């Protein structure tokens, strides 16, 4: 955990690679029930973050999260930019003055997810990226409470993200453009949940086990 944000370049490279590998399939998901521009917007943010990876990797974790949030908000744009910006900026506020550990990261991530819920006026079960992020936040808190070893935490986080993403298939969307389609959204995985899962598992893959 103490290697972040020095590992940020490897993290953003892994995120970039996984989104590129899955861009067509995720765009198909998004075109089915959304605007079809989710991947394009996300890749714009990833490109902007890659341009600042050297600067971000030299910061402490709270300032790194603040920078990631500001870049995400401005570069991704739209609803996703606002929500990802909110996630990282709220995490940064919770991280201020704290030593990085599983405990402090779990708390910061939980605060970030709560901020996203407030900003998006959304909750679990509404077929959004929160159906991935909320279970992952709970998973981190539970793992920290149980003093779970880091390698096992990382496995649990990726598995939880997968389960959360898959759970959106049977949900009816109540947020965003997809909400206008009502029952027709059932049977489709939410694109935002899918990219959330992909990015979480990509980041997990580069963390030391």
């Amino acid at each position: 955990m103490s290697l972040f944000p020095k590992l940020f370049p490897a993290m953003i490279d892994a995120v970039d690679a996984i989104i590129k590998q899955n861009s067509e399939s995720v765009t198909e998901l998004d075109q089915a029930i959304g605007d079809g521009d989710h991947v394009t917007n996300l890749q714009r943010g990833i490109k902007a973050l890659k341009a600042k990876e050297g600067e971000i990797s030299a910061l402490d974790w709270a300032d790194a999260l603040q920078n990631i949030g500001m870049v995400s908000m401005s570069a991704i744009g739209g609803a996703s930019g606002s929500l990802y910006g909110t996630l990282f900026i709220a995490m940064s506020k919770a991280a201020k003055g704290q030593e990085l550990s599983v405990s402090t990261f779990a708390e910061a991530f939980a605060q970030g997810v709560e901020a996203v819920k407030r900003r998006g006026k959304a909750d679990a079960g509404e077929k959004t990226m929160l159906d991935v992020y909320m279970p992952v936040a709970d998973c981190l808190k539970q793992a920290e409470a149980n003093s779970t070893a880091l390698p096992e935490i990382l496995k649990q986080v990726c598995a939880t993200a997968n389960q959360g993403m898959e759970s959106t298939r049977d949900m009816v969307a109540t947020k965003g453009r997809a909400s206008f389609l009502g029952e027709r959204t059932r049977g489709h995985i939410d694109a935002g949940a899918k990219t959330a899962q992909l990015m979480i598992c990509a980041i997990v893959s580069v963390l030391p086990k």
Side-chain angles (χ1 to χ4, degrees):
M1 294 292 289
S2 61
L3 292 174
F4 178 78
K6 288 185 175 63
L7 278 174
F8 178 71
M11 291 178 185
I12 196 64
D13 284 349
V15 165
D16 185 32
I18 202 70
I19 296 300
K20 280 178 180 169
Q21 287 167 22
N22 290 272
S23 61
E24 287 186 19
S25 60
V26 175
T27 297
E28 285 174 10
L29 292 177
D30 195 30
Q31 287 171 338
I33 59 172
D35 293 324
D37 60 356
H38 176 64
V39 170
T40 302
N41 293 343
L42 208 53
Q43 287 182 316
R44 192 165 58 239
I46 292 166
K47 182 179 179 182
L49 286 168
K50 280 175 71 70
K52 295 195 72 174
E53 62 183 22
E55 179 183 333
I56 290 170
S57 67
L59 300 171
D60 68 27
W61 75 296
D63 288 340
L65 289 166
Q66 173 78 12
N67 270 257
I68 292 166
M70 296 298 287
V71 172
S72 297
M73 194 171 286
S74 61
I76 298 173
S80 290
S82 174
L83 295 174
Y84 273 108
T86 296
L87 173 69
F88 290 113
I89 290 168
M91 286 180 69
S92 169
K93 287 177 182 173
K96 230 21 161 189
Q98 302 286 329
E99 282 289 323
L100 178 59
S101 67
V102 171
S103 176
T104 55
F105 183 84
E107 179 58 30
F109 190 74
Q111 297 264 352
V113 172
E114 283 300 314
V116 171
K117 285 171 65 179
R118 291 192 298 272
R119 172 58 66 92
K121 297 181 175 61
D123 211 330
E126 296 193 90
K127 206 179 184 89
T128 71
M129 67 184 192
L130 283 170
D131 292 302
V132 171
Y133 285 120
M134 288 176 65
V136 167
D138 290 342
C139 173
L140 285 169
K141 283 282 197 178
Q142 191 62 48
E144 189 271 326
N146 294 338
S147 300
T148 306
L150 185 58
E152 184 58 29
I153 293 174
L154 297 178
K155 280 186 204 167
Q156 290 176 8
V157 161
C158 192
T160 299
N162 275 309
Q163 290 165 7
M165 175 269 294
E166 284 291 346
S167 75
T168 66
R169 190 188 301 274
D170 295 325
M171 294 175 186
V172 174
T174 61
K175 298 295 175 187
R177 182 179 172 184
S179 64
F180 295 109
L181 299 175
E183 277 291 333
R184 282 182 288 167
T185 60
R186 201 187 295 277
H188 298 275
I189 288 171
D190 177 68
K194 180 61 183 175
T195 53
Q197 173 264 321
L198 288 170
M199 291 189 289
I200 287 170
C201 293
I203 290 168
V204 162
S205 75
V206 301
L207 291 174
K209 306 298 189 288

